[in-house]
Amino acid sequence: MKVLAAMSGGVDSAVAAALAVDAGHEVTGVHMALSRQPGTLRTGSRGCCTVEDAFDARRVCDLLGIPYYVWDFSAEFAESVVDDFLAEYAAGRTPNPCLRCNEKIKFAALLDRAIALGFDAVATGHHVKLVDGVLHRSADAAKDQSYVLAVLTADQLSHTMFPLGEWTKDLVRAEAGRRGFAVAAKPDSYDICFIPDGDTHGYLVEKLGAQPGSVVDSETGEVLGEHDGFFAYTVGQRKGLGLGRPAADGKPRYVLGIEPVSGTVKVGPVTGLDVSVITANRVVFSTGVAPQFPLRTVAQVRAHGGNVEASVDLVDGHLRLTLDETIRGIAPGQTVVLYDESDTFVIGAGTIIRAG
């Protein structure tokens, strides 16, 4: 089979490509250039898609003896990921740019080009299993990435390989070391790749402009402070609220809601974050076919954790979940992923529009 290996420059994609070669596939390595002005070096675990990452990917391909190319997806990335990120924050929602990158770039733009060039599949270093076309959790629960891939369609999954599904991260690093890959001990990337310094607040103010507004008490309406942009806040946030005085009961306040039109950020006690019902749109089912509703599910609302058992129904194209127990800090714009009752495989996913 003719396979395109997506080479991020990290250890996971390196070993995934090696396993594809070992399996006898005709493999070509491709690094995606997602910025027209990439950073030269990474800063520890921050950032990705740097010039250093491109060089690391090339060295792995050289060792494997496979062709290597850099494909420019900077325009698509700017439009589908960065612009979407800014638009979502401007609307008072909290997006997940890594999930959107998987959906729009790695498994849409990259896959489409690969298929057009005659490749049968794209292999990536994601920690997830694909069993009979269905996404299953990775053997390494701590590294499982099924949540961020749950938005993929059945057609996209049919042209995708995940060689690391049965591998733990420790085994991946050991295998990379055995093969002499320089990336064997390279730190995993985290945070938002196009904000390598980690200052999301500063980035949003720079891109969207300062938009002063008030921080108010959700119960009394009292103005407690001012801010330079509501988009710098997210539901569940506790730190950096800039309040002039503590609450009357001395307990911390949290962001409970954001009103983009008025620019108001509402804060209150932690109990105000309790959520028992979630509604989501942009629904995708991994098999391409909706299951029989209503059904029981394990719902995951964050990339790491936030799992809760629930009953779910499909109403007018929207997922409506009733949680068995309350969960805190769910922000519109985030993704809810449905797993089977044993929490083993993905049923579908949707974008949260209401939580309360």
Side-chain angles (χ1 to χ4, degrees):
M1 187 157 56
K2 192 174 180 181
V3 174
L4 184 147
M7 307 293 295
S8 68
V11 64
D12 290 323
S13 63
V15 173
L19 294 177
V21 172
D22 289 353
H25 299 301
E26 180 185 345
V27 181
T28 297
V30 166
H31 178 77
M32 291 180 290
L34 302 181
S35 172
R36 292 194 181 279
Q37 295 179 314
T40 301
L41 300 174
R42 298 176 70 196
T43 305
S45 297
R46 294 190 182 277
C48 67
C49 311
T50 63
V51 173
E52 176 189 358
D53 291 319
F55 286 158
D56 286 343
R58 183 185 188 96
R59 283 192 285 267
V60 168
C61 289
D62 288 344
L63 285 173
L64 293 175
I66 62 175
Y68 170 76
Y69 299 93
V70 175
W71 287 358
D72 183 3
F73 287 105
S74 58
E76 293 91 339
F77 184 80
E79 178 180 355
S80 298
V81 180
V82 179
D83 289 353
D84 176 81
F85 176 84
L86 294 172
E88 286 293 285
Y89 266 107
R93 297 185 287 267
T94 304
N96 185 323
C98 295
L99 188 149
R100 196 66 62 226
C101 182
N102 283 327
E103 177 187 12
K104 299 294 186 180
I105 306 300
K106 295 177 182 177
F107 295 93
L110 177 69
L111 182 57
D112 288 348
R113 187 181 296 184
I115 297 300
L117 290 173
F119 289 93
D120 300 299
V122 169
T124 79
H126 288 93
H127 284 262
V128 64
K129 290 185 284 189
L130 191 60
V131 182
D132 296 327
V134 178
L135 280 175
H136 283 61
R137 289 198 185 276
S138 168
D140 189 337
K143 292 296 181 180
D144 174 59
Q145 292 175 293
S146 58
Y147 174 88
V148 295
L149 298 179
V151 293
L152 302 185
T153 66
D155 182 62
Q156 290 169 330
L157 291 172
S158 70
H159 294 286
T160 304
M161 297 169 54
F162 302 110
L164 302 185
E166 299 289 351
W167 290 61
T168 65
K169 191 56 178 263
D170 288 343
L171 286 176
V172 170
R173 291 198 180 281
E175 178 66 11
R178 186 185 70 81
R179 292 175 178 266
F181 294 164
V183 296
K186 187 175 181 178
D188 291 339
S189 61
Y190 63 86
D191 289 337
I192 302 170
C193 67
F194 53 89
I195 311 178
D197 63 0
D199 183 10
T200 302
H201 182 171
Y203 178 83
L204 290 169
V205 170
E206 175 189 352
K207 298 297 183 180
L208 298 177
Q211 299 179 31
S214 300
V215 180
V216 305
D217 186 288
S218 63
E219 297 176 342
T220 67
E222 179 186 2
V223 176
L224 303 175
E226 303 296 328
H227 62 74
D228 59 1
F230 66 86
F231 42 75
Y233 297 83
T234 188
V235 172
Q237 181 177 335
R238 173 185 173 184
K239 298 181 179 180
L241 302 184
L243 306 182
R245 57 187 180 281
D249 60 6
K251 295 182 179 179
R253 296 186 181 94
Y254 298 79
V255 175
L256 303 185
I258 299 168
E259 297 179 353
V261 175
S262 65
T264 301
V265 176
K266 293 185 176 182
V267 300
V270 68
T271 53
L273 293 173
D274 289 343
V275 168
S276 59
V277 177
I278 293 174
T279 302
N281 64 2
R282 297 182 63 181
V283 180
V284 176
F285 297 110
S286 294
T287 63
V289 179
Q292 185 66 45
F293 285 96
L295 56 80
R296 293 287 297 168
T297 185
V298 173
Q300 183 171 338
V301 295
R302 301 185 184 93
H304 304 288
N307 295 18
V308 61
E309 294 183 7
S311 296
V312 59
D313 204 353
L314 186 66
V315 181
D316 296 327
H318 290 63
L319 295 174
R320 181 177 174 82
L321 289 85
T322 302
L323 311 184
D324 286 10
E325 55 187 78
T326 59
I327 193 168
R328 287 177 171 168
I330 307 305
Q334 295 177 326
T335 297
V336 58
V337 176
L338 310 181
Y339 292 84
D340 69 298
E341 288 187 81
S342 65
D343 198 20
T344 301
F345 63 84
V346 172
I347 297 172
T351 301
I352 297 170
I353 55 175
R354 286 188 298 277

